[in-house]
Amino acid sequence: MLQYILRRTAVGLLMLLALTVLIFTLLRLTPGDPIDAYVNPSVPISASDLEMLRTRLGLDRPLPVQYFAWLGAALMGDFGYSIQYNGEGVLPLVLSRIGPTILLMFSGLVIAVVVGISTGIFAAVRRNKLADLSLSTAAFVGISSPAFLTALLGLYVFAVNLRWVPAGGMLTPGAPFSVGDLLAHLILPATLLSIGHGALIMRYMRSSLLEVLSQDYVRTARAKGVREFWVIVKHAVRNALLPVITLIGSTIGIAIGGAIFIESVFDWPGMGLLMVNAVVRRDYPVIMCATLLTGACVILVNLLTDIAYAAVDPRIKVA
């Protein structure tokens, strides 16, 4: 297992390196001059001053030289300074946004896992009955609904029309901090973020459990007189969870994409909103740092998922 973890970690580091090359190259290939992001269009600047600024920022050097200069500084923890936040350090800025994003994603994934697994089990047990058909239809709708459309509809219905929850932000401006206020702002975006993932988990759980329930050892347990509840809970659900665990790990990357839309719609002060603003304002240092940390999180979660998969099923041997 230790060799497997070390090997996967090495592969993950190579993937991160390839990700930085890809993002750095794509940013430089986007239309426009990177120097424009550093210049206030309302303030006139001479061509000599512009060229001096380009030289100071290293934008006059070849692209590979620029990349390795950035990579060397990044390895030392220096990701540069943000353009849109008046020269604030990029790393402290990005790290300050990780907490709200983790809170939103964790809450959404917890809701998705709990609701998805429980409804998947219920649908499998009530196969081809009204409850199963209703849940399956709802799951197909949830899977087919884009995150931005779900976010806008949820905001319009529950925040604007019904006014059950606040329309945006993480806390009420000017009000003292309270857990109740935080939960009031969190419940709607977290629930909307969980819809697609919960629906997908429900379909996987239902399909996997139906397959397990048809196995010989399940029929043997029933023949021995074991109560149906314990047949499902003790014998079937654990084995049915194996593909679901893999799915949960793989949805982390998808959840990050969904969080970008959710944070933009609800003005949630996380990394998603930060990245959107950075792309709009061509804040290259912030984009590079946020992308690197996001990729590292996805790779780490996938590694933990593989370890959890092996822990759940002792029959699995790590090659």
Side-chain angles (χ1 to χ4, degrees):
M1 178 65 76
L2 180 59
Q3 292 180 354
Y4 171 74
I5 294 174
L6 293 176
R7 186 168 63 250
R8 284 295 308 274
T9 302
V11 173
L13 292 175
L14 291 176
M15 292 176 62
L16 278 180
L17 183 63
L19 179 63
T20 60
V21 174
L22 178 63
I23 297 300
F24 192 91
T25 304
L26 290 177
L27 287 176
R28 291 300 187 267
L29 292 178
T30 53
D33 192 342
I35 200 67
D36 294 339
Y38 295 85
V39 177
N40 188 345
S42 61
V43 178
I45 183 172
S46 64
S48 59
D49 291 338
L50 197 63
E51 193 62 30
M52 186 182 302
L53 179 61
R54 187 187 304 275
T55 302
R56 191 179 68 177
L57 295 173
L59 296 176
D60 60 330
R61 294 180 289 179
L63 190 60
V65 177
Q66 295 182 39
Y67 169 76
F68 283 109
W70 174 87
L71 182 62
L75 291 175
M76 301 299 293
D78 181 10
F79 288 88
Y81 300 92
S82 171
I83 302 170
Q84 59 179 324
Y85 289 95
N86 300 320
E88 183 177 349
V90 169
L91 186 59
L93 175 64
V94 173
L95 291 178
S96 68
R97 299 298 187 95
I98 289 181
T101 296
I102 291 178
L103 175 63
L104 176 61
M105 288 182 55
F106 179 77
S107 302
L109 288 176
V110 167
I111 296 173
V113 170
V114 172
V115 175
I117 291 179
S118 58
T119 54
I121 295 173
F122 184 74
V125 173
R126 309 288 296 177
R127 181 181 183 182
N128 294 332
K129 296 185 178 180
L130 179 60
D132 179 28
L133 296 176
S134 301
L135 288 173
S136 297
T137 301
F140 281 123
V141 173
I143 295 172
S144 305
S145 301
F148 68 89
L149 179 60
T150 304
L152 290 174
L153 288 177
L155 178 66
Y156 178 75
V157 173
F158 297 103
V160 177
N161 278 358
L162 299 178
R163 297 186 179 181
W164 288 354
V165 292
M170 185 175 173
L171 297 169
T172 301
F177 173 81
S178 68
V179 176
D181 185 40
L182 176 61
L183 292 177
H185 286 79
L186 175 64
I187 184 63
L188 182 58
T191 302
L192 294 175
L193 181 61
S194 71
I195 289 177
H197 310 292
L200 195 59
I201 292 172
M202 178 265 171
R203 293 298 301 166
Y204 267 75
M205 188 66 202
R206 177 187 180 275
S207 176
S208 179
L209 185 57
L210 286 176
E211 182 179 353
V212 171
L213 289 175
S214 64
Q215 299 298 316
D216 291 337
Y217 66 87
V218 175
R219 287 195 290 266
T220 301
R222 286 170 173 165
K224 289 181 178 181
V226 180
R227 292 179 56 188
E228 185 67 16
F229 175 81
W230 293 113
V231 169
I232 295 173
V233 173
K234 187 176 180 180
H235 296 278
V237 170
R238 180 176 179 179
N239 292 317
L241 281 174
L242 293 177
V244 178
I245 290 176
T246 304
L247 174 67
I248 293 172
S250 64
T251 57
I252 298 296
I254 304 175
I256 293 175
I260 292 177
F261 292 110
I262 296 294
E263 290 184 5
S264 300
V265 172
F266 286 90
D267 197 28
W268 188 265
M271 285 187 61
L273 183 61
L274 179 67
M275 290 181 68
V276 170
N277 292 334
V279 171
V280 171
R281 302 180 186 181
R282 302 173 66 92
D283 196 343
Y284 296 148
V286 171
I287 297 175
M288 291 296 299
C289 182
T291 302
L292 182 63
L293 291 181
T294 301
C297 291
V298 172
I299 292 172
L300 177 61
V301 169
N302 286 333
L303 174 60
L304 295 177
T305 301
D306 291 341
I307 297 174
Y309 193 96
V312 171
D313 189 355
R315 298 170 300 175
I316 297 176
K317 303 297 182 181
V318 179

